[in-house]
Amino acid sequence: MRIHHLNCGTDCPVGGALFDGRSKGPLGRIVCHCLLIETDAHGLVLVDTGYGLRDVAHPHSPERRIPLPWRAMLNIRLHERDTAIRQVEALGYRAEDVRHIVATHLDFDHAGGLEDFPAATVHVMAREYDDATGPKRGFVARNRWRPPQLDDVARWRRYGAAGERWFGFDAVRDIDGLPPEFLLVPLPGHTWGHAGVAIRRDDGRWLLHAGDAYFYRGEMRSATRACTPGLRAYQRLMEANRRDRLTNQERLRRLSVEHRAEIDVTCTHDPVELEALQAGRAL
Ligand SMILES: [Zn+2]
């Protein structure tokens, strides 16, 4: 298999390094790190989709695909060239070649491109699907999940949390239609139905895409957690359950330290992690 690390969305929040820890100017740079995996027998697999074509063309009307308060807060930049479909095409493939999409969760900045791949089965935790498509309580819930991004998805496959043990986590081992090298790893906290996606590379090393279970590189691979104030505040704003979020983040941090030789742990929104993986450098 071959894994491509794509950026399918860029946010430039006012605050610069207070968000990303490195920008010199007033604007930061937050990415939407998605994976595109070329498999031998199962077509193309996407992990998350970032913003999609319909988000770029009509972000706010006639349907409210991108919530305006978040558009302003994150200073979201919408470019067609950033969409997963355009990047798939640039690699010489067509939308139909994407047979599976594994979704860490269904927030608007992760699910916007689902409808650009009508032949794909979308795999997601059942709780996430229920929360995203059902009745919603509260300002954050009504804005983070945008039904217009989801209602044209043809095939959903939903999963309960039960599964096998994987490095101390419970993992769903039977993702329908995918080989055992793909695991859904429930990591609730950011949302109740949030999950990471683990992929075993051909050389035996695992890549764990932890979605929004953490946001900043300093939260992994070191003895103590470090996070910028902007991303710390954003994670608190978006959390469904603080105790679960912090517990799972701590478990991930320990995993990234104690099993560094076996596993790469990465997240959605850190640009430094994305650049390292795109360049084939160690995290
Ligand atoms: Zn996100």
Side-chain angles (χ1 to χ4, degrees), residues 160-174 183-186 198:
E164 298 184 20
R165 299 297 280 174
W166 178 80
F167 290 102
F169 292 84
D170 291 316
V172 176
R173 192 164 282 277
D174 53 344
L183 303 176
L184 200 53
V185 184

Side-chain angles (χ1 to χ4, degrees), residues 20-272:
D20 65 21
R22 67 168 182 173
S23 287
K24 301 277 188 274
L27 300 183
R29 183 167 177 272
I30 303 298
V31 297
C32 293
H33 177 182
C34 303
L35 307 178
L36 176 70
I37 303 108
E38 300 177 66
T39 70
D40 293 335
H42 302 83
L44 298 179
V45 181
L46 269 171
V47 174
D48 283 352
T49 59
Y51 303 118
L53 287 178
R54 297 185 194 183
D55 300 325
V56 175
H58 303 288
H60 307 302
S61 69
E63 298 166 319
R64 196 162 58 89
R65 295 180 66 91
I66 306 290
L68 274 168
W70 271 256
R71 180 89 194 260
M73 174 170 47
L74 298 172
N75 193 12
I76 297 169
R77 306 293 173 92
L78 296 166
H79 300 293
E80 187 174 332
R81 63 174 182 270
D82 286 347
T83 59
I85 177 64
R86 293 294 179 250
Q87 296 188 67
V88 164
E89 289 167 351
L91 288 165
Y93 292 105
R94 297 166 305 166
E96 310 86 85
D97 297 324
V98 175
R99 306 244 301 271
H100 302 275
I101 301 174
V102 189
T104 63
H105 62 305
L106 298 173
D107 277 354
F108 67 86
D109 55 332
H110 297 252
L114 295 177
E115 295 168 336
D116 293 335
F117 301 96
T121 297
V122 178
H123 305 266
V124 67
M125 297 298 291
R127 176 68 195 263
E128 183 70 13
Y129 177 87
D130 292 344
D131 287 345
T133 58
K136 298 170 185 65
R137 288 225 316 263
F139 181 71
V140 171
R142 285 196 300 275
N143 280 280
R144 73 185 314 165
W145 293 299
R146 304 301 313 135
Q149 291 181 326
L150 310 174
D151 52 10
D152 279 344
V153 172
R155 267 184 303 281
W156 293 99
R157 179 69 177 84
R158 290 162 264 175
Y159 298 87
E164 298 184 20
R165 299 297 280 174
W166 178 80
F167 290 102
F169 292 84
D170 291 316
V172 176
R173 192 164 282 277
D174 53 344
I175 301 184
D176 266 4
L178 286 176
E181 285 77 25
F182 287 80
L183 303 176
L184 200 53
V185 184
L187 297 171
H190 180 71
T191 63
W192 290 107
H194 183 278
V197 183
I199 301 157
R200 188 169 200 160
R201 299 187 180 101
D202 292 340
D203 65 3
R205 247 180 103 75
W206 288 94
L207 173 67
L208 174 60
H209 191 303
D212 285 0
Y214 74 99
F215 272 61
Y216 185 68
R217 54 197 174 277
E219 294 176 311
M220 293 293 123
R221 295 173 290 278
S222 62
T224 54
R225 174 193 179 213
C227 186
T228 57
L231 290 178
R232 197 179 276 262
Y234 190 73
Q235 291 188 77
R236 285 184 79 140
L237 170 72
M238 301 302 284
E239 69 194 2
N241 181 281
R242 177 161 307 159
R243 195 191 61 185
D244 284 0
R245 178 173 72 81
L246 295 177
T247 299
N248 276 320
Q249 195 178 98
E250 175 61 16
R251 294 169 77 204
L252 285 173
R253 191 192 60 73
R254 283 208 309 274
L255 176 75
S256 74
V257 170
E258 293 168 8
H259 294 279
R260 197 162 187 165
E262 300 151 85
I263 303 176
D264 288 318
V265 181
T266 189
C267 70
T268 298
H269 295 301
D270 188 285
V272 175

